[in-house]
């Protein structure tokens, strides 16, 4: 079975379109999505529309958790926006109540079995949605990952791609579709061949200048939103 691993889309439908086009070209049958469909960028409605027709498993990310908090406490939205931009506000404005309910009730973590292989999908770590496991991580976090009773652990959150073998567990972060932070511009994701237990980290080209222009127009006070997309 050919499976697409992706996450941290962050409202960037331009990047997601490039990934999904590439996924079709390599006959991806199912998507495992590590959360953060929303936040930072500006097209949450289009992101959900693009994903709609796919066979997929999606877990909640910390930005979906922030959305839940903002719905419960609307006065917190201004503080969120001052740090992350208007992505969550736009989600609340663009999406239906049904879509918002769905996003905020996504599971975390989630076990799946694909092609006879047991996998666990999460955002930060299975035990903490907001924990970062970077490619240079060592010690307790990785040891706990290696102690899980699965063959594959898929996580996100850091926006840095990685593949590590830890005590028989393949730990994969496919990188970020919408906002990679490893100084390789593009839309990052991974392909998992369950039969060969092979992971192919990929980065698709797309016109990120459109997103940069929109970020600069909407948030000149937050230059990071634009600059991170093209740094090398």
């Amino acid at each position: 079975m050919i499976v697409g691993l992706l996450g941290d889309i962050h409202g960037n439908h331009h990047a997601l379109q490039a990934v999904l086009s590439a996924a079709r070209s390599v006959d991806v049958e199912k998507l495992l999505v590590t959360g953060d469909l929303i936040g930072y960028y500006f097209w949450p409605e289009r992101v959900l529309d693009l994903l709609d027709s796919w066979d997929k498993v999606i877990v909640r990310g910390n930005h979906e958790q922030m959305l839940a908090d903002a719905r419960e406490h609307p006065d917190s939205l201004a503080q969120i926006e001052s740090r992350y931009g208007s992505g969550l506000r736009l989600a609340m404005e663009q999406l239906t109540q049904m879509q918002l309910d769905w996003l905020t009730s996504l599971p975390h973590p989630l076990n799946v079995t694909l092609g006879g292989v047991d996998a666990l999908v999460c955002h930060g770590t299975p035990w903490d949605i907001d924990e970062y496991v970077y490619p240079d991580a060592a010690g307790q976090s990785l040891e706990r990952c290696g102690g899980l009773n699965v063959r594959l652990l898929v996580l996100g959150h850091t926006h840095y791609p990685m593949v590590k073998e830890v005590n028989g567990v393949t730990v994969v972060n496919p990188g970020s579709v919408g906002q990679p932070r490893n100084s390789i511009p593009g839309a990052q994701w991974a392909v998992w061949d369950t039969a060969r237990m092979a992971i192919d980290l990929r980065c698709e080209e797309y016109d990120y200048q459109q997103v940069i222009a929109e970020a600069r127009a909407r948030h000149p006070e937050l230059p990071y939103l634009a600059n991170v997309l093209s740094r090398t």
Side-chain angles (χ1 to χ4, degrees), residues 1 47 51 55 64 81 96 103 114 122 150 170 195 214 228:
M1 188 175 189
V47 164
L51 289 170
D55 182 8
E64 281 82 38
E81 193 164 3
T96 67
L103 281 171
L114 299 175
C122 64
V150 294
T170 301
E214 190 73 18
V228 68

Side-chain angles (χ1 to χ4, degrees), residues 39-60:
Y40 289 119
Y41 302 112
F42 317 113
W43 303 277
E45 185 176 26
R46 295 191 187 183
V47 164
L48 294 194
D49 286 347
L50 285 170
L51 289 170
D52 185 59
S53 64
W54 284 84
D55 182 8
K56 57 193 175 294
V57 167
I58 304 178
V59 298
R60 187 172 72 256

Side-chain angles (χ1 to χ4, degrees), residues 63-195:
H63 281 255
E64 281 82 38
Q65 189 62 55
M66 282 194 287
L67 174 64
D69 295 342
R71 294 178 79 194
E72 187 173 350
H73 305 286
D75 55 348
S76 69
L77 195 55
Q79 184 178 359
I80 293 170
E81 193 164 3
S82 70
R83 180 176 178 183
Y84 299 101
S86 55
L88 289 192
R89 184 184 297 276
L90 289 169
M92 295 175 72
E93 293 173 355
Q94 292 179 15
L95 302 180
T96 67
Q97 290 302 305
M98 185 177 295
Q99 288 173 316
L100 292 170
D101 289 345
W102 173 74
L103 281 171
T104 55
S105 62
L106 286 167
H108 186 274
L110 192 65
N111 288 92
V112 295
T113 301
L114 299 175
V117 181
D118 292 331
L120 181 61
V121 187
C122 64
H123 186 66
T125 60
W127 48 88
D128 185 347
I129 198 171
D130 205 25
E131 181 175 2
Y132 292 89
V133 179
Y134 286 100
D136 60 354
Q140 185 176 5
S141 290
L142 276 179
E143 288 175 9
R144 288 187 72 180
C145 291
L148 296 168
N149 189 29
V150 294
R151 183 68 184 86
L152 180 76
L153 172 64
V154 188
L155 45 76
H157 197 37
T158 68
H159 299 214
Y160 284 79
M162 73 171 184
V163 180
K164 287 183 177 290
E165 293 289 334
V166 187
N167 297 329
V169 178
T170 301
V171 182
V172 180
N173 188 324
S176 172
V177 172
Q179 193 195 78
R181 296 176 184 168
N182 63 338
S183 299
I184 301 176
Q188 297 179 0
W189 67 299
V191 177
W192 171 35
D193 183 334
T194 65

Side-chain angles (χ1 to χ4, degrees), residues 175-221:
S176 172
V177 172
Q179 193 195 78
R181 296 176 184 168
N182 63 338
S183 299
I184 301 176
Q188 297 179 0
W189 67 299
V191 177
W192 171 35
D193 183 334
T194 65
R196 298 188 298 115
M197 202 55 205
I199 305 291
D200 177 23
L201 295 175
R202 297 186 51 143
C203 183
E204 309 303 332
E205 294 182 357
Y206 76 101
D207 185 7
Y208 51 80
Q209 294 297 338
Q210 297 179 71
V211 188
I212 287 174
E214 190 73 18
R216 286 177 174 159
R218 288 178 180 266
H219 293 293
E221 80 285 6

Side-chain angles (χ1 to χ4, degrees), residues 6-18:
L6 60 146
D8 296 291
I9 300 165
H10 285 302
N12 185 347
H13 78 102
H14 297 285
L16 180 60
Q17 180 65 72

